[in-house]
Short mmCIF file of all heavy atoms in Angstrom, two decimals:
data_model
loop_
_atom_site.label_atom_id
_atom_site.label_comp_id
_atom_site.label_asym_id
_atom_site.label_seq_id
_atom_site.Cartn_x
_atom_site.Cartn_y
_atom_site.Cartn_z
N MET A 1084 -52.23 -10.34 39.40
CA MET A 1084 -50.93 -10.96 39.68
C MET A 1084 -50.92 -11.30 41.15
O MET A 1084 -51.13 -10.47 42.01
CB MET A 1084 -49.85 -9.95 39.38
CG MET A 1084 -48.75 -10.28 38.48
SD MET A 1084 -48.89 -11.51 37.21
CE MET A 1084 -49.97 -10.76 36.06
N HIS A 1085 -50.64 -12.55 41.45
CA HIS A 1085 -50.62 -12.99 42.84
C HIS A 1085 -49.28 -12.79 43.49
O HIS A 1085 -49.20 -12.47 44.67
CB HIS A 1085 -51.05 -14.46 42.93
CG HIS A 1085 -52.49 -14.65 42.65
ND1 HIS A 1085 -52.97 -14.81 41.41
CD2 HIS A 1085 -53.55 -14.65 43.49
CE1 HIS A 1085 -54.29 -14.94 41.50
NE2 HIS A 1085 -54.68 -14.84 42.73
N ASN A 1086 -48.22 -12.98 42.74
CA ASN A 1086 -46.88 -12.74 43.32
C ASN A 1086 -45.87 -12.39 42.22
O ASN A 1086 -46.20 -12.40 41.05
CB ASN A 1086 -46.43 -13.97 44.11
CG ASN A 1086 -46.30 -15.23 43.25
OD1 ASN A 1086 -45.81 -15.16 42.14
ND2 ASN A 1086 -46.76 -16.35 43.76
N ARG A 1087 -44.71 -12.04 42.65
CA ARG A 1087 -43.67 -11.56 41.75
C ARG A 1087 -43.25 -12.65 40.76
O ARG A 1087 -42.99 -12.33 39.61
CB ARG A 1087 -42.48 -11.09 42.60
CG ARG A 1087 -41.44 -10.39 41.75
CD ARG A 1087 -40.43 -9.69 42.63
NE ARG A 1087 -40.98 -8.49 43.21
CZ ARG A 1087 -41.08 -7.31 42.56
NH1 ARG A 1087 -40.67 -7.21 41.31
NH2 ARG A 1087 -41.56 -6.26 43.15
N SER A 1088 -43.15 -13.89 41.19
CA SER A 1088 -42.72 -14.90 40.23
C SER A 1088 -43.75 -15.13 39.14
O SER A 1088 -43.39 -15.39 38.00
CB SER A 1088 -42.34 -16.24 40.95
OG SER A 1088 -43.41 -16.71 41.69
N ASP A 1089 -45.04 -15.02 39.45
CA ASP A 1089 -46.07 -15.10 38.43
C ASP A 1089 -45.94 -13.93 37.46
O ASP A 1089 -46.05 -14.09 36.26
CB ASP A 1089 -47.47 -15.09 39.07
CG ASP A 1089 -47.84 -16.35 39.77
OD1 ASP A 1089 -47.15 -17.38 39.59
OD2 ASP A 1089 -48.81 -16.33 40.57
N ALA A 1090 -45.73 -12.75 38.03
CA ALA A 1090 -45.60 -11.56 37.18
C ALA A 1090 -44.35 -11.72 36.26
O ALA A 1090 -44.42 -11.32 35.09
CB ALA A 1090 -45.44 -10.33 38.07
N HIS A 1091 -43.28 -12.26 36.77
CA HIS A 1091 -42.03 -12.45 35.99
C HIS A 1091 -42.27 -13.40 34.83
O HIS A 1091 -41.74 -13.21 33.74
CB HIS A 1091 -40.92 -12.94 36.87
CG HIS A 1091 -39.63 -13.21 36.11
ND1 HIS A 1091 -38.84 -12.16 35.63
CD2 HIS A 1091 -39.05 -14.34 35.72
CE1 HIS A 1091 -37.80 -12.70 35.00
NE2 HIS A 1091 -37.92 -13.99 35.01
N ILE A 1092 -43.10 -14.40 35.03
CA ILE A 1092 -43.40 -15.36 33.96
C ILE A 1092 -44.08 -14.63 32.79
O ILE A 1092 -43.77 -14.87 31.65
CB ILE A 1092 -44.24 -16.55 34.50
CG1 ILE A 1092 -43.42 -17.41 35.40
CG2 ILE A 1092 -44.85 -17.35 33.34
CD1 ILE A 1092 -44.19 -18.41 36.18
N LEU A 1093 -45.01 -13.74 33.13
CA LEU A 1093 -45.75 -13.01 32.12
C LEU A 1093 -44.95 -11.86 31.52
O LEU A 1093 -45.17 -11.46 30.36
CB LEU A 1093 -47.05 -12.49 32.68
CG LEU A 1093 -48.05 -13.57 33.14
CD1 LEU A 1093 -49.23 -12.92 33.81
CD2 LEU A 1093 -48.49 -14.39 31.93
N ASN A 1094 -44.04 -11.32 32.31
CA ASN A 1094 -43.25 -10.16 31.87
C ASN A 1094 -41.84 -10.28 32.40
O ASN A 1094 -41.57 -9.97 33.57
CB ASN A 1094 -43.90 -8.85 32.34
CG ASN A 1094 -43.20 -7.64 31.86
OD1 ASN A 1094 -42.08 -7.69 31.33
ND2 ASN A 1094 -43.82 -6.49 32.04
N PRO A 1095 -40.87 -10.72 31.57
CA PRO A 1095 -39.51 -10.93 32.06
C PRO A 1095 -38.78 -9.66 32.48
O PRO A 1095 -37.72 -9.74 33.08
CB PRO A 1095 -38.81 -11.61 30.84
CG PRO A 1095 -39.68 -11.36 29.68
CD PRO A 1095 -41.05 -11.09 30.18
N LEU A 1096 -39.36 -8.48 32.23
CA LEU A 1096 -38.74 -7.27 32.72
C LEU A 1096 -38.92 -7.12 34.24
O LEU A 1096 -38.19 -6.38 34.90
CB LEU A 1096 -39.33 -6.03 32.04
CG LEU A 1096 -38.97 -5.87 30.57
CD1 LEU A 1096 -39.72 -4.72 29.95
CD2 LEU A 1096 -37.47 -5.64 30.43
N ILE A 1097 -39.88 -7.82 34.79
CA ILE A 1097 -40.11 -7.79 36.26
C ILE A 1097 -39.06 -8.62 36.89
O ILE A 1097 -38.91 -9.82 36.61
CB ILE A 1097 -41.51 -8.25 36.61
CG1 ILE A 1097 -42.54 -7.28 36.00
CG2 ILE A 1097 -41.69 -8.37 38.12
CD1 ILE A 1097 -43.97 -7.69 36.16
N GLY A 1098 -38.29 -8.01 37.80
CA GLY A 1098 -37.19 -8.69 38.45
C GLY A 1098 -37.59 -9.36 39.74
O GLY A 1098 -38.79 -9.42 40.12
N HIS A 1099 -36.60 -9.83 40.47
CA HIS A 1099 -36.81 -10.48 41.75
C HIS A 1099 -37.21 -9.49 42.85
O HIS A 1099 -37.76 -9.88 43.87
CB HIS A 1099 -35.58 -11.24 42.22
CG HIS A 1099 -35.25 -12.40 41.25
ND1 HIS A 1099 -36.08 -13.47 41.08
CD2 HIS A 1099 -34.22 -12.57 40.41
CE1 HIS A 1099 -35.53 -14.30 40.19
NE2 HIS A 1099 -34.40 -13.77 39.77
N ASP A 1100 -36.92 -8.22 42.60
CA ASP A 1100 -37.28 -7.16 43.52
C ASP A 1100 -37.47 -5.85 42.70
O ASP A 1100 -37.12 -5.84 41.53
CB ASP A 1100 -36.26 -6.99 44.62
CG ASP A 1100 -34.85 -6.70 44.12
OD1 ASP A 1100 -34.71 -5.94 43.13
OD2 ASP A 1100 -33.90 -7.24 44.70
N PRO A 1101 -38.05 -4.82 43.28
CA PRO A 1101 -38.29 -3.57 42.51
C PRO A 1101 -37.03 -3.00 41.92
O PRO A 1101 -37.03 -2.47 40.83
CB PRO A 1101 -38.91 -2.64 43.55
CG PRO A 1101 -39.58 -3.56 44.55
CD PRO A 1101 -38.66 -4.76 44.63
N ARG A 1102 -35.91 -3.09 42.66
CA ARG A 1102 -34.64 -2.54 42.19
C ARG A 1102 -34.23 -3.23 40.86
O ARG A 1102 -33.78 -2.59 39.92
CB ARG A 1102 -33.58 -2.70 43.25
CG ARG A 1102 -32.22 -2.31 42.80
CD ARG A 1102 -31.84 -1.04 43.48
NE ARG A 1102 -30.46 -0.73 43.17
CZ ARG A 1102 -30.15 0.27 42.37
NH1 ARG A 1102 -31.03 1.03 41.84
NH2 ARG A 1102 -28.90 0.50 42.09
N GLU A 1103 -34.36 -4.55 40.84
CA GLU A 1103 -34.00 -5.30 39.62
C GLU A 1103 -34.94 -4.95 38.47
O GLU A 1103 -34.51 -4.82 37.31
CB GLU A 1103 -34.00 -6.78 39.88
CG GLU A 1103 -33.51 -7.59 38.68
CD GLU A 1103 -33.47 -9.09 38.99
OE1 GLU A 1103 -33.88 -9.55 40.05
OE2 GLU A 1103 -33.01 -9.80 38.07
N THR A 1104 -36.21 -4.76 38.75
CA THR A 1104 -37.16 -4.36 37.72
C THR A 1104 -36.77 -3.02 37.13
O THR A 1104 -36.77 -2.85 35.90
CB THR A 1104 -38.58 -4.31 38.30
OG1 THR A 1104 -38.95 -5.60 38.80
CG2 THR A 1104 -39.60 -3.88 37.23
N LEU A 1105 -36.41 -2.06 37.99
CA LEU A 1105 -36.02 -0.74 37.49
C LEU A 1105 -34.76 -0.84 36.65
O LEU A 1105 -34.65 -0.19 35.61
CB LEU A 1105 -35.79 0.21 38.66
CG LEU A 1105 -37.06 0.73 39.34
CD1 LEU A 1105 -36.69 1.50 40.60
CD2 LEU A 1105 -37.84 1.62 38.36
N GLU A 1106 -33.81 -1.67 37.06
CA GLU A 1106 -32.59 -1.84 36.28
C GLU A 1106 -32.92 -2.48 34.91
O GLU A 1106 -32.36 -2.09 33.89
CB GLU A 1106 -31.58 -2.69 37.03
CG GLU A 1106 -30.26 -2.88 36.31
CD GLU A 1106 -29.53 -1.58 35.98
OE1 GLU A 1106 -29.67 -0.60 36.70
OE2 GLU A 1106 -28.80 -1.54 34.98
N ASN A 1107 -33.81 -3.47 34.91
CA ASN A 1107 -34.20 -4.12 33.65
C ASN A 1107 -34.86 -3.07 32.73
O ASN A 1107 -34.59 -3.08 31.53
CB ASN A 1107 -35.20 -5.24 33.91
CG ASN A 1107 -34.57 -6.43 34.59
OD1 ASN A 1107 -33.34 -6.55 34.65
ND2 ASN A 1107 -35.38 -7.30 35.16
N LEU A 1108 -35.68 -2.21 33.29
CA LEU A 1108 -36.30 -1.18 32.47
C LEU A 1108 -35.29 -0.21 31.89
O LEU A 1108 -35.40 0.23 30.74
CB LEU A 1108 -37.37 -0.42 33.32
CG LEU A 1108 -38.60 -1.24 33.65
CD1 LEU A 1108 -39.43 -0.45 34.68
CD2 LEU A 1108 -39.42 -1.56 32.40
N CYS A 1109 -34.32 0.15 32.70
CA CYS A 1109 -33.25 1.07 32.26
C CYS A 1109 -32.47 0.46 31.09
O CYS A 1109 -32.22 1.13 30.07
CB CYS A 1109 -32.26 1.37 33.40
SG CYS A 1109 -32.98 2.39 34.70
N VAL A 1110 -32.09 -0.79 31.21
CA VAL A 1110 -31.37 -1.47 30.13
C VAL A 1110 -32.21 -1.55 28.88
O VAL A 1110 -31.73 -1.25 27.78
CB VAL A 1110 -30.88 -2.87 30.61
CG1 VAL A 1110 -30.34 -3.71 29.46
CG2 VAL A 1110 -29.86 -2.75 31.74
N CYS A 1111 -33.46 -1.95 29.06
CA CYS A 1111 -34.35 -2.04 27.90
C CYS A 1111 -34.51 -0.69 27.23
O CYS A 1111 -34.45 -0.59 25.98
CB CYS A 1111 -35.71 -2.57 28.38
SG CYS A 1111 -36.91 -2.78 27.08
N LEU A 1112 -34.74 0.38 28.00
CA LEU A 1112 -34.92 1.66 27.45
C LEU A 1112 -33.70 2.14 26.66
O LEU A 1112 -33.82 2.68 25.56
CB LEU A 1112 -35.27 2.65 28.56
CG LEU A 1112 -35.61 4.07 28.20
CD1 LEU A 1112 -36.80 4.12 27.23
CD2 LEU A 1112 -35.91 4.88 29.45
N ALA A 1113 -32.55 1.90 27.21
CA ALA A 1113 -31.29 2.30 26.54
C ALA A 1113 -31.10 1.56 25.24
O ALA A 1113 -30.75 2.13 24.20
CB ALA A 1113 -30.10 2.06 27.46
N HIS A 1114 -31.42 0.26 25.21
CA HIS A 1114 -31.29 -0.52 23.98
C HIS A 1114 -32.33 -0.10 22.94
O HIS A 1114 -32.03 -0.01 21.75
CB HIS A 1114 -31.45 -2.00 24.29
CG HIS A 1114 -30.25 -2.64 24.90
ND1 HIS A 1114 -29.03 -2.68 24.31
CD2 HIS A 1114 -30.10 -3.22 26.10
CE1 HIS A 1114 -28.16 -3.26 25.10
NE2 HIS A 1114 -28.80 -3.62 26.21
N LEU A 1115 -33.55 0.18 23.39
CA LEU A 1115 -34.53 0.67 22.46
C LEU A 1115 -34.12 2.00 21.83
O LEU A 1115 -34.31 2.21 20.62
CB LEU A 1115 -35.89 0.84 23.17
CG LEU A 1115 -36.72 -0.39 23.39
CD1 LEU A 1115 -37.91 -0.07 24.29
CD2 LEU A 1115 -37.21 -0.93 22.05
N GLY A 1116 -33.60 2.87 22.67
CA GLY A 1116 -33.14 4.16 22.13
C GLY A 1116 -32.09 3.99 21.12
O GLY A 1116 -32.06 4.68 20.07
N GLU A 1117 -31.11 3.09 21.40
CA GLU A 1117 -30.02 2.82 20.43
C GLU A 1117 -30.58 2.29 19.13
O GLU A 1117 -30.17 2.73 18.06
CB GLU A 1117 -29.05 1.87 21.05
CG GLU A 1117 -27.81 1.63 20.22
CD GLU A 1117 -26.79 0.71 20.91
OE1 GLU A 1117 -27.03 0.29 22.05
OE2 GLU A 1117 -25.78 0.42 20.27
N THR A 1118 -31.51 1.34 19.22
CA THR A 1118 -32.10 0.76 18.02
C THR A 1118 -32.86 1.79 17.21
O THR A 1118 -32.68 1.87 16.00
CB THR A 1118 -32.99 -0.43 18.43
OG1 THR A 1118 -32.21 -1.39 19.10
CG2 THR A 1118 -33.62 -1.07 17.19
N PHE A 1119 -33.74 2.54 17.85
CA PHE A 1119 -34.52 3.52 17.16
C PHE A 1119 -33.62 4.61 16.55
O PHE A 1119 -33.86 5.05 15.42
CB PHE A 1119 -35.55 4.18 18.06
CG PHE A 1119 -36.75 3.33 18.39
CD1 PHE A 1119 -37.34 3.44 19.63
CD2 PHE A 1119 -37.23 2.39 17.53
CE1 PHE A 1119 -38.45 2.66 19.96
CE2 PHE A 1119 -38.32 1.61 17.83
CZ PHE A 1119 -38.95 1.74 19.05
N ALA A 1120 -32.61 4.99 17.28
CA ALA A 1120 -31.71 6.02 16.74
C ALA A 1120 -31.00 5.56 15.48
O ALA A 1120 -30.88 6.31 14.53
CB ALA A 1120 -30.69 6.40 17.81
N SER A 1121 -30.57 4.31 15.48
CA SER A 1121 -29.87 3.80 14.28
C SER A 1121 -30.82 3.63 13.08
O SER A 1121 -30.47 3.89 11.98
CB SER A 1121 -29.15 2.49 14.57
OG SER A 1121 -30.08 1.44 14.82
N HIS A 1122 -32.05 3.24 13.35
CA HIS A 1122 -33.03 3.04 12.25
C HIS A 1122 -33.51 4.40 11.68
O HIS A 1122 -33.80 4.47 10.51
CB HIS A 1122 -34.24 2.25 12.72
CG HIS A 1122 -33.96 0.77 12.89
ND1 HIS A 1122 -33.48 -0.01 11.87
CD2 HIS A 1122 -34.13 -0.02 13.99
CE1 HIS A 1122 -33.33 -1.25 12.33
NE2 HIS A 1122 -33.67 -1.28 13.62
N HIS A 1123 -33.56 5.39 12.51
CA HIS A 1123 -34.02 6.71 12.07
C HIS A 1123 -32.89 7.70 11.83
O HIS A 1123 -33.12 8.86 11.54
CB HIS A 1123 -35.02 7.30 13.08
CG HIS A 1123 -36.24 6.49 13.21
ND1 HIS A 1123 -37.24 6.49 12.30
CD2 HIS A 1123 -36.63 5.59 14.19
CE1 HIS A 1123 -38.19 5.67 12.64
NE2 HIS A 1123 -37.88 5.11 13.79
N GLU A 1124 -31.66 7.22 11.99
CA GLU A 1124 -30.46 8.02 11.83
C GLU A 1124 -30.59 9.37 12.58
O GLU A 1124 -30.31 10.45 12.05
CB GLU A 1124 -30.22 8.26 10.32
CG GLU A 1124 -29.91 6.96 9.58
CD GLU A 1124 -29.68 7.22 8.10
OE1 GLU A 1124 -29.70 8.32 7.63
OE2 GLU A 1124 -29.49 6.20 7.42
N ASP A 1125 -31.00 9.24 13.85
CA ASP A 1125 -31.17 10.40 14.71
C ASP A 1125 -30.60 10.09 16.08
O ASP A 1125 -31.22 9.46 16.91
CB ASP A 1125 -32.66 10.74 14.81
CG ASP A 1125 -32.93 12.00 15.64
OD1 ASP A 1125 -31.96 12.56 16.22
OD2 ASP A 1125 -34.10 12.41 15.73
N PRO A 1126 -29.37 10.56 16.33
CA PRO A 1126 -28.70 10.27 17.60
C PRO A 1126 -29.39 10.86 18.82
O PRO A 1126 -29.22 10.42 19.93
CB PRO A 1126 -27.28 10.80 17.43
CG PRO A 1126 -27.34 11.75 16.30
CD PRO A 1126 -28.51 11.33 15.45
N SER A 1127 -30.26 11.86 18.59
CA SER A 1127 -30.95 12.44 19.74
C SER A 1127 -31.92 11.46 20.39
O SER A 1127 -32.18 11.54 21.58
CB SER A 1127 -31.70 13.71 19.31
OG SER A 1127 -32.79 13.41 18.46
N ILE A 1128 -32.43 10.49 19.64
CA ILE A 1128 -33.31 9.46 20.20
C ILE A 1128 -32.53 8.65 21.26
O ILE A 1128 -33.02 8.39 22.34
CB ILE A 1128 -33.87 8.52 19.11
CG1 ILE A 1128 -34.75 9.33 18.15
CG2 ILE A 1128 -34.68 7.40 19.71
CD1 ILE A 1128 -35.18 8.59 16.91
N HIS A 1129 -31.34 8.25 20.90
CA HIS A 1129 -30.51 7.50 21.83
C HIS A 1129 -30.20 8.32 23.07
O HIS A 1129 -30.26 7.84 24.19
CB HIS A 1129 -29.21 6.97 21.13
CG HIS A 1129 -28.42 6.12 22.03
ND1 HIS A 1129 -27.11 6.43 22.36
CD2 HIS A 1129 -28.68 4.95 22.64
CE1 HIS A 1129 -26.64 5.47 23.13
NE2 HIS A 1129 -27.57 4.59 23.32
N PHE A 1130 -29.81 9.57 22.87
CA PHE A 1130 -29.51 10.43 23.99
C PHE A 1130 -30.72 10.56 24.92
O PHE A 1130 -30.59 10.50 26.12
CB PHE A 1130 -29.09 11.84 23.47
CG PHE A 1130 -28.87 12.81 24.57
CD1 PHE A 1130 -27.72 12.78 25.37
CD2 PHE A 1130 -29.82 13.76 24.87
CE1 PHE A 1130 -27.50 13.67 26.40
CE2 PHE A 1130 -29.63 14.66 25.93
CZ PHE A 1130 -28.48 14.63 26.67
N PHE A 1131 -31.89 10.77 24.35
CA PHE A 1131 -33.10 10.85 25.17
C PHE A 1131 -33.35 9.62 25.97
O PHE A 1131 -33.62 9.64 27.20
CB PHE A 1131 -34.34 11.16 24.29
CG PHE A 1131 -35.61 11.14 25.04
CD1 PHE A 1131 -35.98 12.26 25.84
CD2 PHE A 1131 -36.43 10.04 25.00
CE1 PHE A 1131 -37.16 12.25 26.54
CE2 PHE A 1131 -37.64 10.04 25.73
CZ PHE A 1131 -38.00 11.15 26.48
N ALA A 1132 -33.24 8.44 25.33
CA ALA A 1132 -33.48 7.16 26.01
C ALA A 1132 -32.45 6.89 27.13
O ALA A 1132 -32.80 6.46 28.23
CB ALA A 1132 -33.49 6.00 25.00
N VAL A 1133 -31.19 7.18 26.86
CA VAL A 1133 -30.14 6.99 27.88
C VAL A 1133 -30.35 7.98 29.02
O VAL A 1133 -30.17 7.61 30.17
CB VAL A 1133 -28.76 7.14 27.23
CG1 VAL A 1133 -27.68 7.19 28.26
CG2 VAL A 1133 -28.50 5.97 26.26
N SER A 1134 -30.77 9.17 28.71
CA SER A 1134 -31.05 10.14 29.77
C SER A 1134 -32.23 9.71 30.64
O SER A 1134 -32.20 9.84 31.88
CB SER A 1134 -31.39 11.53 29.16
OG SER A 1134 -30.27 12.03 28.49
N ALA A 1135 -33.28 9.18 30.01
CA ALA A 1135 -34.41 8.67 30.79
C ALA A 1135 -33.98 7.50 31.68
O ALA A 1135 -34.39 7.40 32.83
CB ALA A 1135 -35.54 8.27 29.83
N ALA A 1136 -33.17 6.60 31.14
CA ALA A 1136 -32.68 5.47 31.91
C ALA A 1136 -31.81 5.98 33.10
O ALA A 1136 -31.94 5.44 34.19
CB ALA A 1136 -31.89 4.52 31.01
N ALA A 1137 -31.02 6.96 32.87
CA ALA A 1137 -30.16 7.50 33.95
C ALA A 1137 -31.04 8.13 35.03
O ALA A 1137 -30.75 7.96 36.23
CB ALA A 1137 -29.17 8.51 33.39
N ALA A 1138 -32.12 8.78 34.63
CA ALA A 1138 -33.02 9.37 35.62
C ALA A 1138 -33.69 8.30 36.47
O ALA A 1138 -33.84 8.45 37.68
CB ALA A 1138 -34.07 10.25 34.92
N LEU A 1139 -34.09 7.22 35.82
CA LEU A 1139 -34.67 6.05 36.57
C LEU A 1139 -33.66 5.50 37.55
O LEU A 1139 -34.03 5.22 38.70
CB LEU A 1139 -35.11 4.98 35.58
CG LEU A 1139 -36.44 5.17 34.87
CD1 LEU A 1139 -36.64 4.10 33.82
CD2 LEU A 1139 -37.58 5.14 35.88
N ARG A 1140 -32.45 5.30 37.12
CA ARG A 1140 -31.39 4.78 38.00
C ARG A 1140 -31.16 5.72 39.18
O ARG A 1140 -31.00 5.28 40.31
CB ARG A 1140 -30.08 4.57 37.26
CG ARG A 1140 -30.10 3.34 36.39
CD ARG A 1140 -28.69 3.04 35.88
NE ARG A 1140 -28.76 1.86 35.02
CZ ARG A 1140 -28.73 1.88 33.70
NH1 ARG A 1140 -28.63 3.00 33.06
NH2 ARG A 1140 -28.79 0.78 33.02
N TYR A 1141 -31.12 6.99 38.90
CA TYR A 1141 -30.91 8.02 39.98
C TYR A 1141 -32.01 7.91 41.02
O TYR A 1141 -31.74 7.86 42.23
CB TYR A 1141 -30.87 9.42 39.33
CG TYR A 1141 -30.81 10.50 40.33
CD1 TYR A 1141 -29.57 10.90 40.84
CD2 TYR A 1141 -31.93 11.18 40.75
CE1 TYR A 1141 -29.47 11.93 41.77
CE2 TYR A 1141 -31.84 12.22 41.66
CZ TYR A 1141 -30.61 12.60 42.20
OH TYR A 1141 -30.53 13.61 43.09
N GLU A 1142 -33.25 7.87 40.55
CA GLU A 1142 -34.38 7.82 41.50
C GLU A 1142 -34.40 6.44 42.25
O GLU A 1142 -34.70 6.41 43.43
CB GLU A 1142 -35.71 8.02 40.76
CG GLU A 1142 -35.86 9.42 40.24
CD GLU A 1142 -35.79 10.50 41.31
OE1 GLU A 1142 -35.97 10.26 42.50
OE2 GLU A 1142 -35.52 11.66 40.93
N ALA A 1143 -34.01 5.39 41.57
CA ALA A 1143 -33.98 4.10 42.25
C ALA A 1143 -32.93 4.09 43.37
O ALA A 1143 -33.22 3.52 44.42
CB ALA A 1143 -33.62 2.98 41.20
N GLU A 1144 -31.83 4.70 43.15
CA GLU A 1144 -30.79 4.86 44.18
C GLU A 1144 -31.36 5.60 45.39
O GLU A 1144 -31.12 5.23 46.55
CB GLU A 1144 -29.55 5.58 43.64
CG GLU A 1144 -28.72 4.73 42.72
CD GLU A 1144 -28.07 3.57 43.41
OE1 GLU A 1144 -27.66 3.70 44.59
OE2 GLU A 1144 -27.94 2.49 42.78
N HIS A 1145 -32.07 6.67 45.16
CA HIS A 1145 -32.60 7.46 46.23
C HIS A 1145 -33.72 6.76 46.98
O HIS A 1145 -33.87 6.91 48.18
CB HIS A 1145 -33.04 8.83 45.75
CG HIS A 1145 -31.89 9.74 45.51
ND1 HIS A 1145 -31.11 9.67 44.35
CD2 HIS A 1145 -31.26 10.65 46.27
CE1 HIS A 1145 -30.13 10.52 44.44
NE2 HIS A 1145 -30.19 11.14 45.61
N ILE A 1146 -34.51 5.97 46.25
CA ILE A 1146 -35.56 5.18 46.90
C ILE A 1146 -34.91 4.13 47.81
O ILE A 1146 -35.34 3.94 48.94
CB ILE A 1146 -36.45 4.49 45.86
CG1 ILE A 1146 -37.34 5.53 45.13
CG2 ILE A 1146 -37.34 3.41 46.50
CD1 ILE A 1146 -38.08 4.99 43.92
N GLN A 1147 -33.86 3.52 47.32
CA GLN A 1147 -33.12 2.49 48.07
C GLN A 1147 -32.55 3.11 49.36
O GLN A 1147 -32.63 2.51 50.41
CB GLN A 1147 -32.03 1.89 47.22
CG GLN A 1147 -31.26 0.72 47.86
CD GLN A 1147 -32.11 -0.53 47.83
OE1 GLN A 1147 -33.05 -0.66 47.11
NE2 GLN A 1147 -31.73 -1.52 48.65
N GLN A 1148 -31.96 4.29 49.26
CA GLN A 1148 -31.38 4.95 50.44
C GLN A 1148 -32.40 5.36 51.44
O GLN A 1148 -32.17 5.35 52.63
CB GLN A 1148 -30.55 6.16 49.99
CG GLN A 1148 -29.32 5.79 49.19
CD GLN A 1148 -28.68 7.04 48.58
OE1 GLN A 1148 -29.10 8.16 48.77
NE2 GLN A 1148 -27.57 6.77 47.88
N ALA A 1149 -33.62 5.72 50.98
CA ALA A 1149 -34.67 6.20 51.85
C ALA A 1149 -35.33 5.01 52.61
O ALA A 1149 -35.90 5.21 53.67
CB ALA A 1149 -35.71 6.95 51.08
N ALA A 1150 -35.23 3.85 52.01
CA ALA A 1150 -35.92 2.69 52.63
C ALA A 1150 -35.20 2.14 53.83
O ALA A 1150 -34.20 2.39 54.24
CB ALA A 1150 -36.05 1.60 51.59
#
């Protein structure tokens, strides 16, 4: 990958900056968890995915503050 815009063309989860990429991953993870939970009738899947997304958001905030 030569630059971010090339990467974004190949993978739309890659944002304009690392923060946006992390947010895109969080949203995707939460939606996947919701979908899998409904298909498998297991709400713990959604809880796990939302928890993982929240952990990513938490760390992204701390990375942003440290920079």
